Amino acid sequence: MRAEGGRRHEWLDDDAGPVVRPYTLTGGRVRSAVDGFDLVAYVVAEPDADPAAHPDLHPEHRRLVALAGRPVPVAELAADLDLAVGVVRVLLGDLVDRGLVTVHQPPTAPHLPDNDILKAVVSGLRAL
């Protein structure tokens, strides 16, 4: 990559490709329009999802829909796209708003285990 006048930018790498900052993908947003998604929540593309019908979507949006053709956790989507989880959550919110994907949150535990039980488990593991 060369700057004006033929100078080479030291912070650019020819193998890296174009550099896009995460905040440009989210339009500067840091929160999703939809409530936050758990890291282990599963994302599934709607059967009739057609990202081409939404020309304002970024390529990352389209890639998320493609990856969600099978149930996939939010954390795995972030890893596959090599994006921060916060960015993926914002992009997923856009897709949920457009009806292209659904997010299935993990069930919440009705109650947490007793602290005494947890301490006993830890003690037992340490004894091994």
Side-chain angles (χ1 to χ4, degrees), residues 27-102:
R29 297 170 294 153
V30 294
R31 296 197 191 276
S32 171
V34 180
D35 287 337
F37 306 114
D38 195 282
L39 286 175
V40 294
Y42 276 86
V43 179
V44 182
E46 290 296 327
D48 58 346
D50 182 17
H54 303 273
D56 58 327
L57 293 178
H58 294 289
E60 289 77 12
H61 285 109
R62 298 174 200 287
R63 181 86 171 115
L64 282 169
V65 173
L67 289 170
R70 62 173 177 81
V72 59
V74 172
E76 189 174 326
L77 289 171
D80 287 346
L81 275 111
D82 196 24
L83 290 173
V85 173
V87 172
V88 170
R89 285 177 172 154
V90 171
L91 298 178
L92 285 173
D94 297 342
L95 296 173
V96 168
D97 278 348
R98 288 175 172 83
L100 296 172
V101 300
T102 55

